């Protein structure tokens, strides 16, 4: 494609993006295709000769777009949101324009320096302590933007592991392999699966701690303290705990202050907060509480996803570490061809704080989105969705067959249908039937089923799309009520 053809295609593509959002509400929420559909429509080999762009775009419209589930649709209420904004889309286009691997400062100075700058913007917006700021030279803290919270959890587990191994080698002259064989990490029954996956990747045991409905599914300090005592007595070394600020099932928040106190029994335990969804709520001052105080005073690291509820397109998971030293010591390898001008400062090169070598210009879209919205606009976005979720919960709870068994938090509402005289198994079966009715309406709205301990089969409803307005909340409540009414 020559420059003139590219210019024409680029104008047409931007128009296409605008048209897509203008017509988004008229599209089915989920892809209405069968598994394997695409291989039946497109050639199984690349063309020998190049094809005109018009033919490519024709096939995109005819075959690719029908297989897209529209996460930006105003009636998308499943999983957790994946925001996109015009600002973020344009930023991604500009980042692609200047594509480079950005592994060190030399690769493109602005990529590294803008990342540290916007990380501090985000940290200050969320109320994090100055110990987590990248450009404050009075301490060793700072951050990096990972692709996802799962990547953050795994990468910090590597740092925590190597810190523990180095300590055991120094204090006990213990061989590294022997030291690693004694390590154990912690999560809870409600922690995101990425914690257990990190342990699986590292080949280390992960002890899954129980949580209870009576505690709102939060990890209590006493539970952690008991586990530490048992594992220490068995000769194991607790090295890493993943606490959650907003679990996937119910938006539960672990008892962070109690966890910090329980660490007295294992003072070298790395405490990480996975706030993938809920972390951006800390941008709103009235939503802050003692959990933020505990994070700022005691926790080693904190991550959140701007690409969930924070207006930035995927991938954007800002992660903050109280001390970057263990991270860069665990992940720094510098062959001659990667040496960076001024590279004696290891944190000046992003590759030293991540598993991959290269990466995208992730900071650009954060910078452009926050500049366009401002902190007040970002806060207004969060507040509006919390208000809509509150209104939705009140409306569906008024339905005679629908209950809200868990207190709503932020944009998440957990629902289930009931009928007098049914036991637990029968109620679960009734909710499975409700789930099937809702699945049959997947062109109209999308929700996610789950199983909540002590309650049973439920439906998760979470608001987050930038395009969602109060009338969509009303429509969703009416559809849920109609499907509940249709049950036997």
């Amino acid at each position: 494609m020559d420059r003139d053809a590219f210019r024409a295609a680029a104008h047409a593509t931007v128009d296409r993006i605008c048209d897509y959002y203008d017509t988004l509400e008229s599209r089915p929420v989920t892809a209405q295709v069968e598994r394997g559909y695409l291989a039946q429509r497109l050639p199984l080999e690349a063309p020998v000769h190049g094809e005109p762009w018009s033919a490519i775009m024709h096939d995109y419209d005819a075959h690719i777009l029908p297989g897209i589930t529209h996460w930006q649709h105003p009636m998308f209420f499943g999983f957790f949101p994946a925001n996109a904004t015009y600002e973020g889309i344009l930023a991604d286009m500009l980042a692609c324009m200047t594509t480079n691997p950005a592994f060190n400062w030399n690769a493109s100075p602005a990529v590294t320096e803008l990342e540290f700058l916007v990380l501090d913007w985000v940290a200050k917006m969320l109320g994090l302590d100055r110990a987590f700021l990248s450009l404050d030279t009075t301490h060793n803290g700072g951050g990096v933007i990972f692709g996802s919270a799962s990547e953050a959890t795994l990468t910090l587990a590597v740092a925590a592991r190597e810190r523990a191994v180095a300590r055991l080698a120094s204090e006990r002259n213990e061989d590294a392999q022997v030291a690693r064989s004694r390590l154990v990490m912690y999560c809870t029954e409600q922690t995101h699966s990425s914690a257990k996956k990190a342990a699986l990747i590292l080949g280390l045991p992960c002890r899954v701690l129980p949580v209870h409905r009576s505690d709102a599914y939060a990890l209590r300090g006493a539970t952690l303290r008991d586990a530490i005592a048992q594992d220490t007595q068995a000769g194991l070394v607790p090295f890493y705990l993943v606490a959650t600020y907003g679990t996937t099932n119910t938006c539960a928040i672990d008892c962070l202050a109690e966890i910090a106190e329980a660490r007295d029994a294992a003072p070298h335990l790395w405490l990480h907060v996975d706030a993938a969804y809920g972390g951006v709520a800390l941008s709103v001052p009235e939503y802050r509480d003692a959990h933020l105080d505990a994070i700022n005073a005691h926790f080693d690291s904190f991550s959140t996803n701007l690409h969930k509820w924070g207006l930035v397109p995927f991938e954007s998971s800002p992660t903050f570490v109280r001390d970057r030293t263990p991270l860069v010591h665990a992940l720094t390898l510098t062959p001659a061809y990667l040496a960076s001008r001024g590279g004696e400062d290891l944190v000046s090169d992003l590759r030293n704080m991540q598993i991959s070598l290269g990466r995208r210009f992730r900071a650009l879209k954060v910078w452009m989105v926050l500049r366009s919205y401002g902190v007040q606009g970002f806060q207004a976005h969060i507040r509006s969705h919390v208000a809509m979720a509150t209104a939705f919960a009140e409306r569906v709870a008024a339905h005679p067959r629908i209950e809200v068994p868990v207190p709503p938090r932020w944009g998440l509402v957990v629902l289930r249908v009931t009928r007098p005289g049914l036991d637990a198994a029968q109620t679960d079966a009734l909710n499975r039937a409700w789930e099937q009715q809702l699945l049959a309406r997947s062109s109209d709205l999308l929700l996610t089923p789950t199983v909540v301990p002590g309650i049973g089969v439920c439906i998760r409803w979470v608001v987050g799309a930038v395009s969602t307005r109060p009338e969509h909340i009303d429509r969703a409540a009416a559809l849920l009520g109609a499907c509940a009414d249709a049950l036997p």
Side-chain angles (χ1 to χ4, degrees):
M1 184 184 293
D2 62 25
R3 186 182 66 179
D4 290 339
F6 170 74
R7 189 182 298 276
H11 284 300
T13 299
V14 171
D15 287 342
R16 185 181 299 269
I17 291 170
C18 293
D19 291 343
Y20 169 78
Y21 280 98
D22 288 344
T23 61
L24 184 55
E25 191 168 349
S26 66
R27 298 177 184 270
V29 180
T30 63
Q32 304 295 297
V33 298
E34 298 295 329
R35 187 180 294 272
Y37 87 102
L38 203 54
Q40 300 175 21
R41 298 190 185 186
L42 297 180
L44 299 181
E45 296 180 358
V48 175
H49 303 290
E51 300 179 22
W53 190 251
S54 59
I56 297 170
M57 292 310 300
H58 173 272
D59 283 354
Y60 173 83
D61 288 335
H63 306 306
I64 305 300
L65 208 52
I68 296 294
T69 288
H70 303 288
W71 285 61
Q72 312 312 314
H73 198 289
M75 295 294 286
F76 184 100
F77 301 111
F79 304 102
F80 277 128
N83 282 168
T85 51
Y86 290 126
E87 294 85 351
I89 292 169
L90 293 172
D92 258 348
M93 293 171 67
L94 292 171
C96 288
M97 179 185 74
T98 59
T99 291
N100 64 84
F103 44 75
N104 63 15
W105 185 88
N106 289 351
S108 273
V111 175
T112 298
E113 297 195 11
L114 187 64
E115 182 146 331
F116 294 148
L117 179 70
V118 299
L119 280 162
D120 283 3
W121 283 15
V122 173
K124 292 172 183 177
M125 183 175 70
L126 300 183
L128 295 179
D129 188 78
R130 65 180 294 183
F132 294 107
L133 300 181
S134 294
L135 299 180
D136 187 327
T137 59
T138 63
H139 55 77
N140 293 324
V144 62
I145 302 177
F146 289 115
S148 68
S150 299
E151 183 184 350
T153 297
L154 172 61
T155 307
L156 296 173
V158 173
R161 180 193 66 184
E162 294 309 295
R163 184 180 75 169
V165 168
R167 180 180 65 83
L168 292 172
S170 174
E171 295 178 0
R172 306 182 188 182
N173 197 28
E174 200 164 299
D175 175 77
Q177 194 66 26
V178 173
R180 289 192 183 100
S181 70
R182 297 201 299 118
L183 299 180
V184 61
M185 62 179 280
Y186 299 118
C187 67
T188 82
E189 298 168 335
Q190 295 297 295
T191 304
H192 191 271
S193 60
S194 60
K196 286 176 279 189
K197 191 170 186 177
L200 180 66
I201 292 170
L202 297 179
L204 295 173
C206 179
R207 181 163 180 171
V208 180
L209 305 177
V211 293
H212 306 285
R213 185 180 182 183
S214 58
D215 296 321
Y217 304 106
L219 175 61
R220 302 300 302 266
T223 302
L224 175 60
R225 191 179 295 276
D226 288 345
I228 290 173
Q230 293 168 11
D231 288 336
T232 302
Q233 186 173 6
L236 298 176
V237 178
F239 82 101
Y240 185 55
L241 176 139
V242 181
T244 307
Y245 188 81
T247 60
T248 301
N249 264 348
T250 63
C251 272
I253 300 175
D254 289 330
C255 298
L256 302 184
E258 292 184 11
I259 290 170
E261 291 180 5
R263 183 169 56 175
D264 292 345
H268 300 288
L269 180 66
W270 184 302
L271 301 181
H272 172 60
V273 177
D274 176 6
Y277 165 66
V280 296
L282 293 171
S283 65
V284 182
E286 62 264 31
Y287 298 158
R288 298 173 184 171
D289 54 25
H291 293 295
L292 178 60
D293 296 335
I295 292 168
N296 282 332
H298 303 292
F299 277 72
D300 296 282
S301 53
F302 172 94
S303 67
T304 190
N305 285 346
L306 292 181
H307 60 243
K308 277 193 169 68
W309 197 16
L311 300 171
V312 177
F314 192 82
E315 52 193 12
S316 182
S317 187
T319 299
F320 305 91
V321 185
R322 187 176 301 276
D323 184 359
R324 287 182 286 186
T325 305
L327 189 59
V328 297
H329 283 176
L331 297 172
T332 298
L333 290 171
T334 309
Y337 54 81
L338 290 178
S340 177
R341 180 156 46 96
E344 62 278 355
D345 178 12
L346 297 179
V347 300
S348 67
D349 290 345
L350 296 172
R351 66 183 174 83
N352 295 332
M353 291 180 285
Q354 61 188 32
I355 293 172
S356 63
L357 176 61
R359 43 111 70 178
R360 292 172 58 84
F361 190 178
R362 293 174 181 154
L364 188 63
K365 54 192 171 188
V366 180
W367 183 65
M368 288 187 168
V369 167
L370 289 182
R371 285 197 64 181
S372 181
Y373 275 79
V375 173
Q376 288 187 346
F378 192 98
Q379 292 169 337
H381 163 70
I382 300 296
R383 287 188 179 106
S384 69
H385 283 168
V386 173
M388 283 190 276
T390 301
F392 173 81
E394 292 173 352
R395 177 164 175 180
V396 293
H399 189 284
R401 300 196 67 179
I402 301 176
E403 69 172 4
V404 180
V406 177
R409 177 171 278 139
W410 303 314
L412 177 67
V413 182
V414 178
L415 312 163
R416 72 171 186 164
V417 289
T418 60
R419 195 176 73 196
L422 298 185
D423 61 22
Q426 291 170 325
T427 301
D428 278 354
L430 184 67
N431 279 275
R432 290 295 187 199
W434 193 36
E435 175 193 339
Q436 291 304 308
Q437 289 214 11
L438 293 169
L439 183 61
R441 303 295 300 268
S442 66
S443 63
D444 299 316
L445 84 170
L446 182 119
L447 302 105
T448 311
T450 191
V451 177
V452 179
I455 296 174
V457 176
C458 295
I459 296 293
R460 293 172 67 263
W461 179 98
V462 60
V463 61
V466 177
S467 59
T468 302
R469 301 182 298 277
E471 57 262 35
H472 301 113
I473 304 303
D474 293 340
R475 191 186 309 166
L479 282 168
L480 283 160
C483 289
D485 290 337
L487 291 170

